[in-house]
């Protein structure tokens, strides 16, 4: 990659050029973000996965820009207009908007008023006016009157059209106006459609709204743009046409020279026309697009943070689980799962109205708990969730059986998906949904990777942001989470394996097929026997795969096979076996890391190895905790200002956090009421009720303290 790009990336991220260059070399060698950030710290200077992912993003952006430059240069060269100066400007460009400005005068365009004027032979007149080479434009224009130009005014009008288009295609002019527009305010007004459509009421905040372009929060802008798309708002930048026109005219005169009075009038008319007809709409769109790109990045980052927290939610682990998908009329769908998440039994009970088969339901639940050795119960948080939780508490379940509420977001998407049909071809969607709820409690990460992250109910305006940017962020986030936790090679589904560094969907299916045919893996080296899994892929994936009870205990750790010999040396120097060294913090504390630095393995890698040896294969996720909502709160009408209640954070946005209080509507802690605290998804919090709007089903909350 060219130096101008690596310098730009380094500047954007605040890192050294050599760190960027080494990351790019590793990318080009097939390195993945998790592998590079975890096992190549010497080459990256210890950059974390987020920084490596940012470098990867800009590497891809500039790779595409380089392709775009090649196309632009080829087009201009074919026109015979490519000068060395223009080539240099294009090749040195690192901003997409500036690149397009340079290309604009040469880009093939549809037929315009300026095109017609040129066809009518008026370009020489426009050239003379542009170069201030004529003092009496009317006399000069008279020379062009003929079959195609009926009179002097038509000639002057055509010349002005050509000048107006030149101004609109001038990179300096566009850059000046961009800077002026960026200092202005973005305004929105309600359209006629908004006054007659009840659906527009949700946008009433923006019916007469304005805010500086540079300060508008991402959620405000995305809401406005959605409303504009739906026809409820008109949006503009409040740029002053007079000031913009004056600046354009002054710059024209500075570049050329001040024209005489007669020509000055013609130039000023061309300037005003260029601004109003061509530049104002174009620059407005660019500035709004620029602001949206910034809003997209903010929103996508919020989505990424929430998704990380969701995927890394505490698991209960391998426990026999009863999963309940609650409901009223259609009953509560129950699935009993073994320690590995396999379906043992399913049935439907009807403890709620209209059937109200409470006794029969109690007997059924008690029997299932005993028959299947149930250790934990997972209740979906949808319709009838609170009523089902209350019912389960009345069953008289054993004290050691813990009850958890689990988010149902995306469960219906999963249950109807090809993934679910493949896993449970003989079961209907209700059974699949219940199984998913149970598995989410056992291991959220392993289950949620099967669902499109956009269906998981986290983030803000995810359907309004750049979908390619969102997909890139979500895919990267999932991969980082999966690899940070590590994956059990002998139990992982192909969907989980596909996110492991270097593997992907096809190879994941191959690993599962090999496992089914040959039995469980007993060593990481055995991966090399999987068809199409070669040494390069092995290098990328091996450190993230875990094998419990492997012949070599290091196969159940994050120590990469390329470093096993270093651990063996450490153990030998201490006079113990590798197995005896692992987990023995006293022995590990005696090791001098500097003694084991060699080749490409410096102190960062050696220190990582020592940390891993102390707690091999440690799951970075916390343990799951039970939680109970307030017993006397079941619907919004039960809420009163001043109440202090427990809740669970269900979504975090730039404008605040949504909290589940155990009723059908989530409350909002506005960012101003968070008291400077940074809350996380699924965090258990105590809140105070500030206001209850029954008409709009809105609940305003304040944060008391973290539980």
């Amino acid at each position: 990659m060219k130096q101008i790009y690596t310098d730009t990336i380094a500047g954007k991220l605040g890192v050294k050029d050599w760190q960027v260059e080494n990351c790019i070399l590793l990318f080009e060698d097939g390195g993945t973000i998790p592998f590079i950030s975890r096992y190549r710290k010497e080459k990256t200077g210890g950059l974390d996965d987020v920084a490596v992912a940012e470098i990867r993003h800009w590497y891809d952006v500039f790779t595409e820009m380089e392709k775009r430059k090649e196309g632009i240069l080829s087009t201009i060269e074919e026109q015979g207009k490519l000068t060395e100066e223009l080539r240099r400007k294009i090749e040195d460009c690192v901003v997409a908007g500036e690149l397009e400005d340079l290309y604009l005068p040469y880009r093939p365009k549809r037929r315009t008023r300026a095109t017609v004027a040129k066809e009518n032979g008026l370009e020489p007149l426009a050239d003379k006016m542009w170069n201030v080479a004529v003092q009496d434009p009317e006399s000069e224009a008279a020379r062009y009157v003929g079959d195609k130009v009926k009179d002097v005014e038509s000639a002057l009008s055509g010349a002005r059209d050509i000048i107006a288009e030149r101004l609109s295609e001038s990179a300096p002019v566009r850059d000046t106006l961009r800077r002026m527009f960026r200092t202005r305010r973005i305004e929105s007004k309600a359209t006629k459609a908004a006054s007659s459509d009840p659906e527009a009421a949700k946008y009433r905040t923006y019916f007469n709204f304005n805010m500086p372009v540079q300060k508008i929060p991402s959620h405000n802008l995305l809401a406005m743009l959605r409303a504009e798309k739906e026809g409820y708002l008109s949006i503009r930048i409040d740029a002053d046409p007079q000031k913009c026109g004056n600046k354009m005219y002054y710059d024209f005169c500075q570049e050329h020279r001040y024209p005489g009075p007669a020509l000055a009038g013609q130039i000023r008319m061309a300037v005003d026309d260029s601004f109003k007809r061509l530049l104002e709409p174009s620059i407005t769109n660019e500035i709004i697009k620029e602001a949206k790109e910034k809003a997209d990045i903010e929103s996508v980052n919020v989505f990424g943070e929430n998704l990380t927290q969701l995927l890394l939610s505490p698991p209960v682990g391998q426990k026999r689980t009863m999963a309940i998908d609650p409901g009223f009329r259609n009953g509560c769908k129950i699935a009993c799962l073994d320690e590995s998440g396999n379906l043992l039994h399913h049935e439907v009970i009807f403890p709620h109205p209209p059937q109200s088969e409470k006794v029969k339901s109690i007997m059924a639940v008690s029997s299932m708990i005993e028959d299947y050795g149930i250790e934990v119960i997972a209740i979906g948080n949808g319709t009838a969730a609170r009523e089902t939780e209350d019912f389960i508490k009345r069953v008289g379940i054993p004290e050691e059986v813990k009850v958890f509420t689990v988010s149902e977001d995306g469960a219906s998407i999963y249950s109807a998906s090809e993934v679910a049909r493949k896993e449970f071809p003989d079961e209907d969607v209700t059974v699949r949904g219940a199984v998913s709820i149970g598995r989410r409690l056992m291991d959220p990460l392993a289950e949620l990777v099967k669902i499109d992250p956009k269906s998981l109910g986290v983030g803000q305006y995810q359907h309004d942001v750049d979908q390619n940017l969102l997909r890139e962020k979500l895919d990267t986030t999932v991969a980082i989470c999966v690899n940070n936790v590590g994956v059990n090679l002998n139990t992982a589904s192909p969907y989980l394996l596909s996110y492991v560094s270097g593997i992907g969907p096809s190879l994941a299916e191959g690993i599962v097929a090999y496992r089914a045919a040959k039995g469980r893996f007993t060593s990481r080296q055995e991966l090399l026997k999987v068809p199409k899994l070669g040494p390069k892929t092995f290098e990328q994936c091996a450190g993230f795969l875990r094998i419990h009870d492997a012949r070599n205990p290091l196969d159940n750790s994050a120590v990469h096979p390329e470093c096993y010999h270093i651990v063996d040396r450490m153990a030998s120097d201490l006079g113990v076996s590798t197995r005896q060294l692992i987990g023995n913090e006293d022995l590990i504390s005696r090791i001098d890391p500097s003694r084991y630095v060699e080749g490409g393995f410096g102190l960062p890698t050696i220190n990582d190895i020592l940390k891993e040896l102390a707690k091999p294969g440690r799951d970075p996720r916390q343990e799951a905790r039970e939680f109970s909502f307030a017993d006397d709160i079941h619907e919004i009408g039960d809420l009163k200002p001043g109440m202090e209640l427990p809740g669970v954070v269900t979504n975090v946005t730039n404008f605040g956090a949504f909290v589940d209080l155990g009723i059908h509507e989530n409350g909002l802690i506005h960012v101003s009421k968070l008291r400077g605290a940074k809350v996380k998804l699924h965090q258990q919090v105590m809140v105070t009720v500030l206001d209850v709007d029954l008409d709009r089903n809105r609940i305003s909350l304040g944060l008391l303290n973290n539980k």
Side-chain angles (χ1 to χ4, degrees):
M1 176 164 278
K2 291 180 179 177
Q3 192 66 40
I4 55 168
Y5 297 137
T6 55
D7 289 347
T8 302
I9 296 171
K12 283 179 179 290
L13 304 184
V15 299
K16 305 293 185 184
D17 282 8
W18 64 266
Q19 293 175 293
V20 176
E21 290 166 1
N22 284 350
C23 279
I24 289 172
L25 289 174
L26 289 165
F27 294 146
E28 292 175 344
D29 191 41
T32 65
I33 293 166
F35 176 80
I36 293 169
S37 59
R38 180 69 176 81
Y39 296 113
R40 292 296 180 263
K41 291 183 178 178
E42 286 79 10
K43 291 193 174 182
T44 69
L47 295 178
D48 63 18
D49 43 28
V50 175
V52 175
E54 280 288 296
I55 292 173
R56 177 78 218 197
H57 168 78
W58 287 108
Y59 169 71
D60 292 340
V61 167
F62 287 132
T63 298
E64 289 303 309
M65 181 178 286
E66 190 62 18
K67 293 178 183 176
R68 175 66 173 156
K69 287 181 180 180
E70 290 174 5
I72 288 173
L73 289 169
S74 176
T75 300
I76 300 175
E77 194 164 32
E78 288 173 3
Q79 296 174 7
K81 298 178 180 179
L82 184 61
T83 65
E84 283 305 310
E85 181 183 7
L86 181 57
R87 179 189 291 277
R88 179 185 55 77
K89 286 181 178 179
I90 290 172
E91 289 179 344
D92 290 348
C93 195
V94 293
V95 178
E98 293 176 4
L99 176 61
E100 297 304 321
D101 277 354
L102 292 170
Y103 180 44
L104 188 58
Y106 311 98
R107 187 173 66 193
K109 57 176 72 72
R110 59 182 176 78
R111 200 161 182 265
T112 64
R113 282 165 46 173
T115 308
V116 173
K118 290 175 183 178
E119 292 171 353
N120 290 338
L122 294 172
E123 191 164 21
L125 174 61
D127 288 340
K128 290 181 179 180
M129 294 168 65
W130 178 263
N131 294 315
V132 193
V134 57
Q135 292 301 314
D136 186 354
E138 290 194 3
S139 297
E140 183 68 23
R143 298 171 56 191
Y144 295 85
V145 175
D147 294 340
K148 294 183 177 180
V149 180
K150 64 180 180 179
D151 53 34
V152 167
E153 178 50 36
S154 297
L156 290 172
S157 177
R160 292 196 301 268
D161 287 341
I162 294 171
I163 293 171
E165 186 168 277
R166 285 183 187 176
L167 287 167
S168 74
E169 294 176 345
S170 165
V173 169
R174 298 182 73 87
D175 186 55
T176 296
L177 290 179
R178 281 195 201 98
R179 284 187 273 109
M180 294 179 72
F181 273 53
R182 288 186 189 116
T183 66
R184 306 302 300 172
R185 303 174 78 87
I186 186 168
E187 295 181 340
S188 61
K189 302 283 186 183
T191 63
K192 289 183 179 179
S195 61
S196 59
D197 190 339
E199 286 294 313
K202 58 189 174 185
Y203 299 117
R204 64 187 181 191
T205 301
Y206 306 105
F207 283 2
N208 189 15
F209 179 88
N210 70 83
M211 186 173 285
V213 172
Q214 300 285 30
K215 294 183 178 180
I216 187 166
S218 58
H219 63 276
N220 289 138
L221 180 63
L222 292 173
M224 290 164 62
L225 292 175
R226 179 191 289 180
E228 182 187 43
K229 187 176 181 180
E230 294 174 3
Y232 301 133
L233 292 180
S234 61
I235 298 176
R236 64 181 292 270
I237 306 293
D238 71 339
D240 185 333
Q242 186 69 30
K243 287 183 178 179
C244 291
N246 288 344
K247 177 62 176 169
M248 288 173 63
Y249 180 71
Y250 174 79
D251 287 349
F252 174 89
C253 295
Q254 290 294 106
E255 182 182 352
H256 301 85
R257 64 177 182 272
Y258 280 90
L263 181 58
Q266 295 294 324
I267 297 296
R268 186 63 204 229
M269 289 170 66
V271 164
D272 291 343
D273 175 54
S274 180
F275 178 79
K276 182 178 180 180
R277 179 169 59 87
L278 302 173
L279 283 163
E280 183 178 26
S282 176
I283 302 299
T284 294
N285 288 338
E286 282 190 33
I287 297 304
I288 291 176
K289 180 183 177 183
E290 188 179 273
K292 183 181 182 297
E293 287 172 353
K294 179 182 175 183
D296 284 353
I297 291 171
E298 289 182 13
S299 296
V300 164
N301 286 338
V302 168
F303 204 127
E305 289 176 15
N306 286 348
L307 182 60
T308 296
Q309 294 163 16
L310 183 63
L311 294 175
L312 297 182
S313 297
V316 298
Q318 294 185 312
K319 297 183 183 293
R320 290 191 160 237
T321 301
M322 174 183 286
I324 306 177
D325 184 359
F328 288 114
R329 182 175 298 277
N330 295 321
C332 297
K333 282 67 70 178
I334 297 181
C336 296
L337 312 175
D338 68 11
E339 297 90 339
S340 299
N342 297 312
L343 179 62
L344 301 173
H345 171 78
H346 65 84
E347 65 179 271
V348 182
I349 61 173
F350 297 90
H352 310 309
Q355 293 91 338
S356 298
E357 298 174 354
K358 295 188 183 297
V359 174
K360 184 178 178 181
S361 298
I362 288 173
M363 293 176 64
V365 170
S366 298
S367 177
M368 283 184 277
I369 290 174
E370 183 176 351
D371 292 347
Y372 299 104
I374 298 301
E375 298 172 273
V376 294
I377 297 175
I379 301 174
N381 69 341
T383 303
R386 287 297 305 282
E387 292 80 0
T388 302
E389 182 183 354
D390 292 343
F391 161 74
I392 289 295
K393 289 178 179 178
R394 292 197 299 270
V395 168
I397 59 176
E399 186 176 345
E400 64 272 15
V401 176
K402 306 300 182 183
V403 180
F404 298 85
T405 301
V406 178
S407 171
E408 289 186 7
D409 286 330
S412 60
I413 302 294
Y414 161 78
S415 61
S417 70
E418 180 61 33
V419 174
R421 288 195 293 273
K422 192 171 182 179
E423 287 192 301
F424 300 101
D426 300 324
E427 307 295 347
D428 66 22
V429 292
T430 61
V431 175
R432 297 170 190 160
V435 171
S436 182
I437 289 169
R439 287 178 171 178
R440 288 184 188 200
L441 178 63
M442 299 171 73
D443 189 342
L445 179 60
E447 189 63 19
L448 293 175
V449 294
K450 303 172 187 176
I451 303 170
D452 184 342
K454 288 190 293 184
S455 301
L456 294 176
V458 296
Q460 60 181 39
Y461 297 98
Q462 59 262 38
H463 300 292
D464 299 297
V465 301
D466 183 313
Q467 294 301 293
N468 291 330
L469 183 66
L470 180 61
R471 173 52 57 193
E472 176 190 332
K473 181 69 174 182
L474 299 186
D475 285 347
T476 300
T477 298
V478 175
I480 288 173
C481 290
V482 168
N483 289 283
N484 280 347
V485 170
V487 172
N488 186 324
L489 181 56
N490 284 316
T491 61
S493 69
Y495 319 106
L496 188 59
L497 283 168
S498 69
Y499 283 101
V500 173
S501 170
I503 291 183
S506 178
L507 203 48
E509 293 285 355
I511 291 172
V512 172
Y514 179 91
R515 191 173 69 197
K518 304 291 185 180
R520 66 187 302 276
F521 288 87
T522 58
S523 74
R524 283 171 168 167
Q525 284 298 132
E526 194 179 347
L527 278 164
L528 290 167
K529 296 180 181 179
V530 175
K532 299 182 181 180
L533 198 156
K536 188 64 186 179
T537 300
F538 179 82
E539 176 192 59
Q540 295 294 311
C541 72
F544 303 106
L545 295 168
R546 308 282 183 267
I547 302 176
H548 300 323
D549 302 320
R551 289 195 298 264
N552 187 334
L554 292 174
D555 282 351
N556 193 35
S557 74
V559 177
H560 197 283
E562 66 188 6
C563 293
Y564 283 6
H565 68 284
I566 297 176
V567 179
D568 292 340
R569 271 182 54 209
M570 291 175 175
S572 177
D573 290 348
L574 290 167
V576 298
S577 68
T578 298
R579 190 176 294 275
Q580 290 172 318
L581 176 60
I582 294 174
N584 190 323
E585 295 191 31
D586 179 55
L587 287 174
I588 293 167
S589 68
R590 302 181 202 174
I591 297 173
D592 177 5
S594 63
R595 290 185 56 197
Y596 299 95
V597 171
E598 61 172 62
F601 306 120
L603 279 176
T605 294
I606 305 303
N607 285 327
D608 277 351
I609 290 173
L610 293 178
K611 288 178 184 177
E612 185 62 21
L613 291 177
K615 295 182 179 179
R618 180 178 64 89
D619 192 326
R621 297 172 292 182
Q622 298 176 343
E623 292 185 5
R625 296 165 52 197
E626 281 189 289
F627 176 82
S628 295
F629 294 111
D631 291 335
D632 55 344
I633 302 297
H634 290 85
E635 56 186 42
I636 191 171
D638 295 333
L639 298 176
K640 298 291 185 290
M643 283 183 169
E644 297 183 0
L645 303 169
V648 176
V649 177
T650 59
N651 197 7
V652 181
T653 69
N654 282 346
F655 54 87
F658 290 92
V659 177
D660 183 3
L661 302 174
I663 58 179
H664 297 300
E665 293 80 18
N666 286 340
L668 173 65
I669 309 176
H670 189 268
V671 65
S672 62
K673 305 300 180 183
L674 284 171
R675 301 163 58 188
K678 186 173 177 63
V679 296
K680 296 182 178 181
L681 209 65
H682 289 183
Q683 182 176 330
Q684 298 173 12
V685 294
M686 285 295 296
V687 298
T688 182
V689 179
L690 301 178
D691 184 58
V692 182
D693 186 338
L694 294 176
D695 292 334
R696 294 194 291 171
N697 283 336
R698 291 189 177 180
I699 306 162
S700 177
L701 304 173
L703 182 68
L704 287 176
N705 64 280
N706 300 343
K707 289 186 66 180

